[in-house]
Structure formats: structure tokens, C-alpha cells
Amino acid sequence: MHKKQEQILLGHGSGGRLSHDLLKSIILPAFSNPALDELHDGARVLAGGASLAFATDSYVVKPRFFPGGDIGKLAVCGTVNDLAMCGAVPLYLSAGFILEEGLPAAELERIVASMRLAAREAGVQIVTGDTKVVEKGAVDGIYINTAGIGLLQPGADITAKRVKPGQAVIVSGYLGDHAIAVMSERHGLTLPAKIVSDCAPLNKLIQAMLTEVPAITMLRDPTRGGLATTLNEIAGDAGVGIILEESLLPVRPEVQAVCEILGFDPLYLANEGKVVVFVEKEYSDKVLTIMRQHPLAGEACIIGSVTEQPAGQVALKTTVGGLRLLDMLSGEQLPRIC
Amino acid sequence: MHKKQEQILLGHGSGGRLSHDLLKSIILPAFSNPALDELHDGARVLAGGASLAFATDSYVVKPRFFPGGDIGKLAVCGTVNDLAMCGAVPLYLSAGFILEEGLPAAELERIVASMRLAAREAGVQIVTGDTKVVEKGAVDGIYINTAGIGLLQPGADITAKRVKPGQAVIVSGYLGDHAIAVMSERHGLTLPAKIVSDCAPLNKLIQAMLTEVPAITMLRDPTRGGLATTLNEIAGDAGVGIILEESLLPVRPEVQAVCEILGFDPLYLANEGKVVVFVEKEYSDKVLTIMRQHPLAGEACIIGSVTEQPAGQVALKTTVGGLRLLDMLSGEQLPRIC
């Protein structure tokens, strides 16, 4: 069922179809356990009576500095957000650096300073770490892994299993900014100054939402693979359909224009400071009100709803009235975006 | 006081003097907090009333398969051991893979299978993870980061602050096997078949020791930088002297011979399945008895003792009766050993 390639391809890191195949054909069969098999952004585990979330991500973004952020900010925000998406308040991070011999120390200092700022904004502590140095050419500059521990918010139960037909699908703001900002920096394109990465820690926003509306059923940040891939994962896990209204999707005109020129689809572009929220429709106004009061979710809006059909799939109701199936990302659109 | 280089050098990843300089000049000033500043193998933190240890390491060993192990086994054992050295029972691991485009899938399967076996031996679950793929040439095959959560053993308080003059210094077995096994594989040397990496999860040994002798004051696995560097760190943190007896140091004759030919010192070679233990002398027989009953510590022995002088330093009482100061590893002896 899941195609196994003989060699690792760039697409295996895309977050899309090939990533899923790799996970399901090699990683999950080896490590299978209830916490891992849930395939959330992080694991929900018990330790000494405490209900925790535990998440990790490695960051290999190229270039390491881009409009709106850098690899350090990304490494803190990404893992903080993965914890928040589990319904947890992030507490502690680890930081593992892999450095290339010859990396200017000033660059490392700038990246570390940026991690400190992001950690302060998120209210987390970086409590443990590791630094490896490899010879010139064995790694491209600097890669950072962060892992994080969070405390699950009492009353919250964030899982795809609770996503049911009738629920509203909300997104916290404009789609695709991060991917376009990184891509433009990588290729030296001059873009409108408005297009900067949305990279930000969402945990305080999520904490406010879950405190007021513990009925929220599912949260996910649409990073690699973009909104379309994220929603496909949720539709598949929940066995429901998700129908999006094209006219409601928030995309900056500048990002839309770049996408049209370069042949990208904003629904498949990575975001690093956005959240998709599932909640019963009776709570959607309350959730939107809370979100719009927060500086990171001023443009929050409903973009669609959960349906019975097409079960396990995502469809887009286009502005001209058609219904188009949205698959997961296939292949690799933009490698090393995070 | 801590020299700052303008560029990252291989030695910054050695675990020795340069690693310390990097940590103290760039990393610690940015992230400083009580858990991090203790500079243990992992952090001791509180979460939801639970007393936890949290540790991380990235693994970049070259080659990725070597006598006695591979990068996968190392990635599990290394972090399990870091948690155990904090006095914790390891519970959960994360696994972050960075793969090079073109890596044979069969190699990844072999590495993942080896992680599964090591996790089973240690009794931990791999509950969350991440896979990135970078283009050919951007990473050398595969790097793995693991982070881990453990539960601190009640009654145990493992910290360099409790290391005091009069205590015994115990090591669990032969020194240097891991580094020599990896180095010989890297350079295609034919060595006696006895020399294989000692890579192993020490957590069950440590748990047995701490359950029987909670008075143990300090534990540390002498990995990068070897025994001499590890003991220098502890002597510095505790403000004590440590005097080793050269005649008591357990080094296999085969490893000693290779060291003499190649100009290595076994005291600076990495181990991946050894522990150094500090305990009041009245408990040392009991600790040795427990250790020697365990298959991973059959050669456990006392190698020296804690003294007032030379404060903050480590000295070796040589077989001919002299006293020689042992500094931390300077420069880089064997890069990419873990």
C-alpha cells in the first residue's frame, strides 16, 4: 500500500505523500506504540503522574537567515508550536546544534541570540543541549534540533478522533508567507517588503483559546506540505471529509501573485506561525473573537467545514462553484523550508 | 577567560577545552537558567509536580556502522545514558532524522531496527520524531538527534556539588573501546576482534545501583573527551582534586597497544557504555558488588579518590610514583566519534 523507494528522495522530507510513505513503511513498523501511532505534532505521555506533551523537530532551513526570522527563531517557535498543537503549555526545550567547521562564530551568536528572544517571547526555558562539529562539507552550515516538554492543559483533549461532521474549520491568518519569504531569499528575488516569514510562537494564543473554549477538538500548524496536506492528514485520521471555500482562504495578494508567476499553490506552502482549528460551530464565533484579539491571529477566519463526504479526503469549493479534490503534497515543492 | 575563536573549529565539538569555551562564551550567556547552568548530562526539571530529567544529543558518527554498533544504537544508548547519569529512569525518547538524498532505504531500515532493539533493551519508548531530507552533499548520509525524558529516582541526588574529598572514584570497565572501534572501521585498520564498541544502555545498571545505594553522589559517562575530560569537569564543578592511580586504570592490552602505535591516550578516548561513579568509601564495596553482578560492569573497579588538592584539577599517580596533572582534552583527537 505504501510505496517503498530504494533510495531516500528529497520528497521524503516534504511533509507530503512521500513523507507519509516513509513513516508508514519504515519508521512506524519499527517503533510502534500508542503515543507514536497517534501521529500528532507531538506525543502525549504520562510521567510521574504528570500529563505531558513531548515533541521534536530538526531544522535545516536554507538560507539560515531570511526575512522575518532565521534558523534559530524557527527552531524555538517550531517546537513550541508542536507542543501547543497537542494542547500543552510548553515549558522546556533542548537544543542540539550540528555545526560545520568554519562557520563564523558571529553567525552562531546571532542565531543563539535569536533563539533566546523567541524562547523569552514563548515563555520557555532552554535547559539542556549538545553541540557537534563536523568537518567542512559534512553539513551545510548549521542544523538545529530542538525537543520540548509541555504540560497538557487540563480539560483540553486535542485529537483528530474528535473531529466530526458539522464542525467549523478556522485558520488564524494568511497562508504561504513563510515559504515565499524563504524561497525569495534563497533565490535572491526582490519581493514586496510585506512578504516576511510568519514564524512566531503560538502557544500563548492557543493557551487563551483552550482556557476559554476547551471544546476545541483539533489543532494543527500547517507547516511542511501546507494547509492541504495538514487537512488531508486530519481527514484521513478522523475518517471525515473537509470542504474548504476557496473564496474564504486568506492569501495575501502579493503571495498570490508570486505563486501565479512561479507556479506554486499557496495551499501547499509551509507556514510557521499559523494554526488550523476545529470546533463545533456553536463555539466558532467565540473562538474567532479570542483569536482576533491576539496580534498573531488578527485575520482569523472560518475557511470551511467538516462533512461526512468525501470521507478521508479534502475538497475545495471553487469560486466558480466547482468541487475539486485536494490531495496531499506529492513530490517536493520547496526543499529545506524549515 | 574563555577564548573565543572567530570560526568554529572541529575542536569545538570534541567535548574538551574548546567545547567548554564555546559553551561558556556563546551558549550559556544566551540561555542561562538554573537547570542549564548545572551543566549535567541532562537537565533536572519539574513539570506538573513530576521530577524529570531531560537530555538530548545529536549523533554524527562516521562511519555509521562500526564493530559493536551503529549510529542508531548509539543514538538510543547515548541519550538513555545521559538520563541515567542524572539519576533518572528513562521513559521516552524522540528521534529526529536528517537524511541525505540518495541514502539507501535499506541502510535506514537497518539503523531503525537497531534503534528498536536498543530501545527495547533499555525499556524506553520512542514516542515522537521528525524526518528531514537534504540534498546530496548537504549532510554526510544520516545524522540522528534523540532527546529523552526520564523520571528522577526518589532519594537520589546526583550532582557534582556532592562530590567531596574522601570519596572513591569507580569506573565500570575498560576504557577506550568505542573510540578505537570506530576509528579502526573508519580507516580500514584490522584490529583484534576483541575491540568492539562498548555502546550499551546503562540505565538498568544505574537504577539497581541507586536503589541499593542512594548515597551515590555523582555519575557521568565518559564519552567525548574521555575519562580525563569528564573528571576535569567534575573536579572543576565540585572544587575538589581527583587523584587517579595509573596502575588501577582498566585498559585492554589490545587497546593500549593500538594507542601506543597511533599516539592516542586511552584517558581521552570516548566510551559509550561506561560510567564513572563517586561515592563515600564506606559504600564502595557495596557499589562494586552490585556493579560486578551486572553484565555491563563485570570489570568495575576503584580507580582513584577525591582529594582536597589539587583543587579543581585531576592528577595521575603514575606507576613509577610520580604525580602528573591531567588536563581536559585540548584540540580534537578523533572527530565524529559519536
Side-chain angles (χ1 to χ4, degrees), chain B residues 321-336:
Chain B
L323 204 62
R324 173 161 73 86
L325 277 185
L326 289 177
D327 202 357
M328 279 192 189
L329 176 64
S330 63
E332 175 55 285
Q333 194 170 222
L334 280 174
R336 296 182 60 185

mmCIF file of all heavy atoms in Angstrom, chain B residues 321-336:
data_model
loop_
_atom_site.group_PDB
_atom_site.id
_atom_site.type_symbol
_atom_site.label_atom_id
_atom_site.label_comp_id
_atom_site.label_asym_id
_atom_site.label_seq_id
_atom_site.Cartn_x
_atom_site.Cartn_y
_atom_site.Cartn_z
ATOM 1 N N GLY B 321 55.506 6.248 40.382
ATOM 2 C CA GLY B 321 55.432 7.025 41.627
ATOM 3 C C GLY B 321 55.302 8.527 41.456
ATOM 4 O O GLY B 321 55.142 9.243 42.429
ATOM 5 N N GLY B 322 55.343 9.031 40.209
ATOM 6 C CA GLY B 322 55.189 10.470 40.009
ATOM 7 C C GLY B 322 53.735 10.896 40.037
ATOM 8 O O GLY B 322 52.821 10.074 40.071
ATOM 9 N N LEU B 323 53.503 12.211 40.041
ATOM 10 C CA LEU B 323 52.143 12.756 40.007
ATOM 11 C C LEU B 323 52.081 13.696 38.807
ATOM 12 O O LEU B 323 52.821 14.681 38.734
ATOM 13 C CB LEU B 323 51.858 13.513 41.309
ATOM 14 C CG LEU B 323 50.399 13.665 41.704
ATOM 15 C CD1 LEU B 323 49.723 12.319 41.954
ATOM 16 C CD2 LEU B 323 50.267 14.547 42.936
ATOM 17 N N ARG B 324 51.199 13.376 37.847
ATOM 18 C CA ARG B 324 51.138 14.142 36.609
ATOM 19 C C ARG B 324 49.745 14.739 36.475
ATOM 20 O O ARG B 324 48.738 14.039 36.635
ATOM 21 C CB ARG B 324 51.425 13.185 35.446
ATOM 22 C CG ARG B 324 51.243 13.755 34.064
ATOM 23 C CD ARG B 324 51.971 12.915 33.010
ATOM 24 N NE ARG B 324 51.334 11.626 32.724
ATOM 25 C CZ ARG B 324 50.341 11.461 31.833
ATOM 26 N NH1 ARG B 324 49.863 12.497 31.178
ATOM 27 N NH2 ARG B 324 49.833 10.259 31.607
ATOM 28 N N LEU B 325 49.662 16.047 36.218
ATOM 29 C CA LEU B 325 48.346 16.670 36.031
ATOM 30 C C LEU B 325 47.736 16.210 34.710
ATOM 31 O O LEU B 325 48.429 16.124 33.689
ATOM 32 C CB LEU B 325 48.478 18.195 36.017
ATOM 33 C CG LEU B 325 48.523 18.882 37.380
ATOM 34 C CD1 LEU B 325 48.540 20.401 37.199
ATOM 35 C CD2 LEU B 325 47.341 18.484 38.264
ATOM 36 N N LEU B 326 46.452 15.918 34.753
ATOM 37 C CA LEU B 326 45.708 15.548 33.536
ATOM 38 C C LEU B 326 44.768 16.690 33.204
ATOM 39 O O LEU B 326 43.818 16.950 33.936
ATOM 40 C CB LEU B 326 44.867 14.298 33.774
ATOM 41 C CG LEU B 326 45.566 12.962 33.932
ATOM 42 C CD1 LEU B 326 44.529 11.881 34.230
ATOM 43 C CD2 LEU B 326 46.355 12.617 32.689
ATOM 44 N N ASP B 327 44.999 17.346 32.092
ATOM 45 C CA ASP B 327 44.115 18.445 31.700
ATOM 46 C C ASP B 327 42.936 17.886 30.910
ATOM 47 O O ASP B 327 42.870 16.708 30.599
ATOM 48 C CB ASP B 327 44.909 19.449 30.847
ATOM 49 C CG ASP B 327 44.254 20.817 30.860
ATOM 50 O OD1 ASP B 327 43.168 20.967 31.474
ATOM 51 O OD2 ASP B 327 44.825 21.746 30.259
ATOM 52 N N MET B 328 42.000 18.768 30.583
ATOM 53 C CA MET B 328 40.953 18.397 29.639
ATOM 54 C C MET B 328 41.583 18.131 28.287
ATOM 55 O O MET B 328 42.670 18.615 27.990
ATOM 56 C CB MET B 328 39.993 19.575 29.440
ATOM 57 C CG MET B 328 38.972 19.702 30.504
ATOM 58 S SD MET B 328 37.728 20.887 29.946
ATOM 59 C CE MET B 328 36.806 21.042 31.478
ATOM 60 N N LEU B 329 40.845 17.426 27.442
ATOM 61 C CA LEU B 329 41.280 17.247 26.064
ATOM 62 C C LEU B 329 41.435 18.624 25.418
ATOM 63 O O LEU B 329 40.559 19.471 25.519
ATOM 64 C CB LEU B 329 40.218 16.455 25.298
ATOM 65 C CG LEU B 329 40.480 16.247 23.800
ATOM 66 C CD1 LEU B 329 41.724 15.420 23.577
ATOM 67 C CD2 LEU B 329 39.272 15.581 23.148
ATOM 68 N N SER B 330 42.585 18.853 24.780
ATOM 69 C CA SER B 330 42.722 20.109 24.038
ATOM 70 C C SER B 330 42.740 19.760 22.557
ATOM 71 O O SER B 330 43.259 18.727 22.155
ATOM 72 C CB SER B 330 43.997 20.833 24.442
ATOM 73 O OG SER B 330 45.106 20.053 24.115
ATOM 74 N N GLY B 331 42.140 20.617 21.751
ATOM 75 C CA GLY B 331 42.027 20.331 20.324
ATOM 76 C C GLY B 331 41.070 19.189 20.082
ATOM 77 O O GLY B 331 40.149 18.949 20.858
ATOM 78 N N GLU B 332 41.293 18.467 19.023
ATOM 79 C CA GLU B 332 40.376 17.402 18.626
ATOM 80 C C GLU B 332 41.200 16.167 18.343
ATOM 81 O O GLU B 332 42.055 16.167 17.474
ATOM 82 C CB GLU B 332 39.599 17.850 17.377
ATOM 83 C CG GLU B 332 38.685 16.806 16.766
ATOM 84 C CD GLU B 332 37.680 16.248 17.763
ATOM 85 O OE1 GLU B 332 38.095 15.433 18.611
ATOM 86 O OE2 GLU B 332 36.505 16.614 17.667
ATOM 87 N N GLN B 333 40.951 15.087 19.118
ATOM 88 C CA GLN B 333 41.712 13.869 18.925
ATOM 89 C C GLN B 333 41.114 13.037 17.805
ATOM 90 O O GLN B 333 41.785 12.654 16.862
ATOM 91 C CB GLN B 333 41.739 13.080 20.244
ATOM 92 C CG GLN B 333 42.777 11.980 20.226
ATOM 93 C CD GLN B 333 42.966 11.360 21.609
ATOM 94 O OE1 GLN B 333 44.074 11.105 22.018
ATOM 95 N NE2 GLN B 333 41.895 11.124 22.318
ATOM 96 N N LEU B 334 39.822 12.766 17.904
ATOM 97 C CA LEU B 334 39.117 11.937 16.920
ATOM 98 C C LEU B 334 37.762 12.565 16.640
ATOM 99 O O LEU B 334 36.830 12.366 17.410
ATOM 100 C CB LEU B 334 38.892 10.542 17.492
ATOM 101 C CG LEU B 334 40.025 9.541 17.460
ATOM 102 C CD1 LEU B 334 39.630 8.283 18.213
ATOM 103 C CD2 LEU B 334 40.413 9.197 16.035
ATOM 104 N N PRO B 335 37.618 13.310 15.556
ATOM 105 C CA PRO B 335 36.310 13.912 15.307
ATOM 106 C C PRO B 335 35.241 12.871 14.956
ATOM 107 O O PRO B 335 35.577 11.777 14.511
ATOM 108 C CB PRO B 335 36.551 14.854 14.117
ATOM 109 C CG PRO B 335 37.886 14.540 13.574
ATOM 110 C CD PRO B 335 38.611 13.654 14.538
ATOM 111 N N ARG B 336 34.018 13.221 15.168
ATOM 112 C CA ARG B 336 32.843 12.404 14.783
ATOM 113 C C ARG B 336 32.903 10.992 15.314
ATOM 114 O O ARG B 336 32.727 10.017 14.598
ATOM 115 C CB ARG B 336 32.648 12.440 13.261
ATOM 116 C CG ARG B 336 32.316 13.835 12.778
ATOM 117 C CD ARG B 336 32.064 13.898 11.310
ATOM 118 N NE ARG B 336 30.943 13.033 10.936
ATOM 119 C CZ ARG B 336 30.579 12.826 9.663
ATOM 120 N NH1 ARG B 336 31.258 13.408 8.691
ATOM 121 N NH2 ARG B 336 29.568 12.069 9.386
#
